[in-house]
Amino acid sequence: MCYDWGESSEGAVSVLHGEAGSVSCPLFSHPSVYNYTSAQSAGHNLFWYRLLDGHDLEQPITYSLRFSRDRERLWLQPAAANDSGQYICMLRNKSSCSKIAMRLKVLRPEEVVRSTSCEPPVAMPATQEWIGLQEGKTLNCPDLQYAVKMSEIEPTVSWYYVNPDKSECSQYPFWNNDREQRGTSLQFYTMLIPYQGLYFCTVRYQRRGRMLHFTRSIKVSGIYPERVSKVPTILYPTEHKIFSVRTNSDERLTCRGLLPLILHNSSRKIWWTVDGNTVVELNNHRFSQKNSIVKEDFGDLTMESVLVIEDFQSEDLKREFNCSVWNEQGFLTRRAQLKEDVSLPTVELSCGLGVTLVLMLLLFVVYHVFWLELLLLYRSWFGTDERHTDDKEFDVYISYARNSEEEQFVLSTLRSVLENVLGYSVCIFDRDSLPGGTITDETLSFVARSRRLLVIVGPNYACQGSQALLELKAGIDSMALGGHLKVILVQYKPVQRQSLVRELRRAHVALALVRWQGDKSKELTSRFWKRLRVELPLRRISRDEERCNKEAVLMRLSSQNSTNSQTGLISNTSKNPQKVFDCAA
């Protein structure tokens, strides 16, 4: 068996009819995966096949007068019009095999697109060369080294230059002494702006008594010399720039930077971070980034990055927005300063609006601080006991990961408080199920007969195929089908969202979430128990009954091993036996 990578995504290779051309095996385009020298050392052999246009069968390529191989490249010397098709390279040894295909197009000279009629036809795209202004550099014709290997005599090279301003072509010698051909190379002694443009080189060599040639093109561009600073800079925003933003509207923060080109490493970046995270790392649909090139000046790029914030909120003013630029010579970051743009009321309405705002602020503060207490008070006055409106048997069904610390939390803390203090009827599968029954049927039956499904979320919850996952799916399906069941998530310990199963990730977004915060949640008056009571069915019990239930639980918990002290429900009242005796009476 041979692993087939299909056809390469790098695109077709073009070769000119009548010229020497080559196809490089794409397997070696990623040296970390396939390396030619390492492959040879491991005993791999490289074979070439081709499937010509209009044919159905692959044919092995035999090396002959026209076909030769140099390392990972297959040379056609010269290429003919009927050589167009698919070329497959196969790397194999006794134990492994990989192959990939690449398309070759043989073009006729009249099929090549040229900007001026004097240009020589070239099928392959031009290579890019950067030369520092007022500096020198030597240009070599691409693929010349292969012609040197294959030629029986010393190859010759002819150089051409196309002036982009005058649309003129000239063959060496050029009209000045700043450029000189030395052997097969073109030497630039002093790079000037007018010398930018396309350079063509035609290589002629002899192989097996035949004269062959090929033509390549080089795009030469000038850049600022190395003595000019290559450190990136932020042009906008300036250090004292303040962005005015409005809440509940879409805002755009613009950053513009100058990123000089460095010859041996052309990588350069501009980006925004929000609270130290990139837009991709933030993973928030409200934030997006758009980068663009504003200007190119001798290789140096002026780039712009726009951070788009949808539905800007007042909380976003507290975030830290930083724009950063980088290349190999340096890194620079600058924080964007934000100010909320608030429209002031008119003088006639200022007093009335001021009083209204103060009252609203007071109400907001009261509600923000005491909203749970207010909601519980409202439920106690106007709420309806669901036991009178449905035929459910249990108030709460608790779903948790078995054989874990979540089970200890459920059995020692949650169950005791719900049943003995708050007066709910609780269903726990391991306790209330009958022996010998079918787990799936009994689980679905218990969930259907409950008013609430309490899901204890922790690191061990909802593994694929577990009973807890079955309970979660049953609860979600019951909600989706319009049942009276309501699913409540209780986060016992923080869990990374990526580690949750799909059903729990969706439930985490759509359902109510109550967080257990360790020591902060131990007391019955904590926010955890108030928040949980809001989600649970309404129960009206007298103060004496509630006090007796609470003290009974405390006394039971005080007799447990000290390792259960994490529940935090043992208080000084449990030490008063007279009160417990009164309740028992």
Side-chain angles (χ1 to χ4, degrees):
M1 296 298 294
C2 193
Y3 186 81
D4 191 352
W5 291 87
E7 186 170 316
S8 172
S9 59
E10 297 178 0
V13 175
S14 297
V15 180
L16 202 63
H17 172 71
E19 284 193 356
S22 66
V23 181
S24 182
C25 182
L27 288 175
F28 302 100
S29 59
H30 301 284
S32 59
V33 181
Y34 292 101
N35 180 276
Y36 184 81
T37 304
S38 301
Q40 275 195 326
S41 302
H44 287 83
N45 292 315
L46 184 63
F47 299 91
W48 283 93
Y49 301 84
R50 67 175 179 172
L51 178 61
L52 299 178
D53 291 344
H55 291 70
D56 298 327
L57 298 176
E58 298 178 3
Q59 300 175 353
I61 296 177
T62 56
Y63 305 121
S64 59
L65 182 63
R66 265 196 340 117
F67 291 95
S68 63
R69 182 168 68 88
D70 183 74
R71 290 175 62 87
E72 71 274 12
R73 302 180 74 173
L74 175 69
W75 280 85
L76 293 80
Q77 303 179 98
N82 57 3
D83 288 330
S84 295
Q86 201 178 55
Y87 284 70
I88 302 102
C89 61
M90 177 185 294
L91 187 66
R92 72 183 184 190
N93 62 7
K94 294 181 179 180
S95 60
S96 64
C97 175
S98 296
K99 68 177 183 178
I100 190 171
M102 196 160 191
R103 186 158 296 278
L104 175 71
K105 294 175 62 178
V106 180
L107 304 177
R108 296 188 178 275
E110 59 270 15
E111 295 176 325
V112 177
V113 178
R114 293 179 280 180
S115 57
T116 60
S117 58
C118 64
E119 289 183 14
V122 178
M124 296 184 63
T127 57
Q128 177 70 62
E129 288 287 345
W130 300 93
I131 304 178
L133 296 173
Q134 301 296 326
E135 295 180 346
K137 189 172 185 178
T138 300
L139 293 187
N140 292 308
C141 191
D143 294 333
L144 175 63
Q145 66 274 24
Y146 298 103
V148 173
K149 290 182 182 179
M150 295 179 290
S151 181
E152 298 165 353
I153 60 175
E154 184 71 21
T156 62
V157 180
S158 300
W159 287 90
Y160 305 86
Y161 169 62
V162 176
N163 190 321
D165 297 328
K166 301 180 180 179
S167 298
E168 295 177 349
C169 301
S170 56
Q171 186 175 359
Y172 182 84
F174 306 126
W175 57 271
N176 56 57
N177 297 324
D178 293 328
R179 295 167 290 180
E180 179 185 7
Q181 181 170 347
R182 303 187 63 179
T184 57
S185 303
L186 181 62
Q187 178 70 47
F188 283 74
Y189 295 109
T190 304
M191 178 63 188
L192 301 176
I193 295 177
Y195 299 164
Q196 299 183 118
L198 274 177
Y199 288 77
F200 297 86
C201 54
T202 299
V203 178
R204 294 178 175 84
Y205 64 98
Q206 179 177 307
R207 179 175 180 269
R208 297 186 180 181
R210 301 179 63 188
M211 291 303 300
L212 302 169
H213 71 280
F214 59 82
T215 302
R216 300 289 184 263
S217 59
I218 306 173
K219 183 182 179 182
V220 175
S221 303
I223 64 170
Y224 289 109
E226 292 295 326
R227 60 178 177 270
V228 178
S229 175
K230 300 294 183 178
V231 177
T233 57
I234 296 179
L235 305 177
Y236 182 86
T238 59
E239 293 183 359
H240 304 291
K241 168 66 180 176
I242 298 177
F243 290 95
S244 296
V245 295
R246 291 191 177 186
T247 57
N248 302 320
S249 63
D250 294 347
E251 295 294 338
R252 300 166 66 90
L253 304 182
T254 301
C255 177
R256 191 176 299 114
L258 176 63
L259 294 100
L261 174 67
I262 300 173
L263 285 179
H264 59 276
N265 189 346
S266 59
S267 298
R268 39 198 165 168
K269 297 184 293 184
I270 181 171
W271 71 96
W272 280 95
T273 57
V274 183
D275 293 335
N277 298 314
T278 64
V279 174
V280 176
E281 296 170 343
L282 195 63
N283 195 22
N284 189 328
H285 71 278
R286 294 178 51 238
F287 298 88
S288 60
Q289 177 180 289
K290 300 178 181 177
N291 291 354
S292 60
I293 297 176
V294 178
K295 179 183 177 183
E296 182 176 0
D297 184 28
F298 295 110
D300 294 354
L301 297 181
T302 300
M303 299 185 67
E304 185 174 271
S305 180
V306 179
L307 179 65
V308 181
I309 308 172
E310 298 180 5
D311 191 21
F312 191 93
Q313 299 298 315
S314 58
E315 292 81 2
D316 295 330
L317 290 169
K318 302 176 183 178
R319 294 180 179 268
E320 183 177 332
F321 298 93
N322 287 303
C323 174
S324 304
V325 292
W326 174 89
N327 69 3
E328 195 183 46
Q329 286 293 317
F331 166 80
L332 183 63
T333 186
R334 182 168 296 163
R335 182 172 181 175
Q337 304 180 51
L338 308 184
K339 180 185 70 174
E340 187 174 3
D341 187 8
V342 181
S343 300
L344 297 176
T346 60
V347 177
E348 294 79 7
L349 298 177
S350 59
C351 294
L353 290 177
V355 173
T356 304
L357 290 174
V358 171
L359 292 176
M360 292 178 62
L361 181 60
L362 291 175
L363 292 174
F364 174 80
V365 171
V366 171
Y367 178 77
H368 183 72
V369 177
F370 302 105
W371 71 274
L372 283 174
E373 289 79 2
L374 292 174
L375 188 55
L376 290 172
L377 182 62
Y378 176 84
R379 277 163 49 93
S380 66
W381 287 350
F382 304 102
T384 301
D385 194 332
E386 295 179 20
R387 289 177 294 185
H388 305 316
T389 60
D390 59 29
D391 57 350
K392 302 285 187 176
E393 181 179 350
F394 301 102
D395 291 322
V396 181
Y397 181 93
I398 303 180
S399 173
Y400 58 92
R402 275 65 173 176
N403 301 320
S404 65
E405 57 181 324
E406 289 96 304
E407 183 176 19
Q408 179 67 19
F409 166 73
V410 170
L411 299 179
S412 63
T413 301
L414 197 59
R415 178 192 62 81
S416 299
V417 175
L418 292 179
E419 288 183 336
N420 301 318
V421 177
L422 302 180
Y424 291 103
S425 58
V426 177
C427 177
I428 298 177
F429 182 89
D430 297 333
R431 181 192 66 180
D432 300 326
S433 61
L434 296 176
T438 304
I439 294 178
T440 303
D441 294 339
E442 289 196 12
T443 299
L444 298 178
S445 175
F446 280 143
V447 172
R449 289 150 54 194
S450 302
R451 298 181 178 89
R452 299 291 187 272
L453 173 62
L454 209 59
V455 177
I456 312 303
V457 180
N460 303 307
Y461 187 82
C463 298
Q464 193 67 32
S466 67
Q467 182 179 352
L469 182 58
L470 172 64
E471 295 164 348
L472 175 64
K473 289 182 177 179
I476 294 176
D477 291 342
S478 180
M479 287 186 64
L481 295 175
H484 296 287
L485 177 69
K486 180 179 179 182
V487 182
I488 307 167
L489 302 181
V490 175
Q491 180 178 289
Y492 177 65
K493 281 191 175 181
V495 183
Q496 291 185 355
R497 190 173 185 272
Q498 293 81 359
S499 64
L500 299 176
V501 295
R502 180 181 59 186
E503 292 80 0
L504 198 53
R505 286 200 301 269
R506 293 177 177 176
H508 198 278
V509 175
L511 301 179
L513 179 66
V514 185
R515 291 183 173 87
W516 174 265
Q517 296 180 333
D519 293 339
K520 294 182 180 180
S521 302
K522 290 179 179 179
E523 296 296 330
L524 291 176
T525 57
S526 67
R527 187 179 184 86
F528 171 79
W529 295 108
K530 293 177 181 177
R531 181 75 175 85
L532 188 59
R533 287 177 60 191
V534 169
E535 301 298 333
L536 293 175
L538 175 65
R539 286 291 173 271
R540 291 190 178 94
I541 58 176
S542 64
R543 290 181 176 273
D544 292 338
E545 184 181 359
E546 182 179 0
R547 178 179 61 83
C548 291
N549 288 340
K550 177 179 178 181
E551 292 174 355
V553 173
L554 295 176
M555 186 172 183
R556 184 182 297 108
L557 292 175
S558 65
S559 64
Q560 294 179 356
N561 190 283
S562 60
T563 57
N564 293 335
S565 61
Q566 62 172 345
T567 59
L569 300 176
I570 302 175
S571 65
N572 293 330
T573 58
S574 65
K575 300 177 181 180
N576 192 335
Q578 182 61 40
K579 290 184 178 181
V580 178
F581 177 80
D582 294 339
C583 289

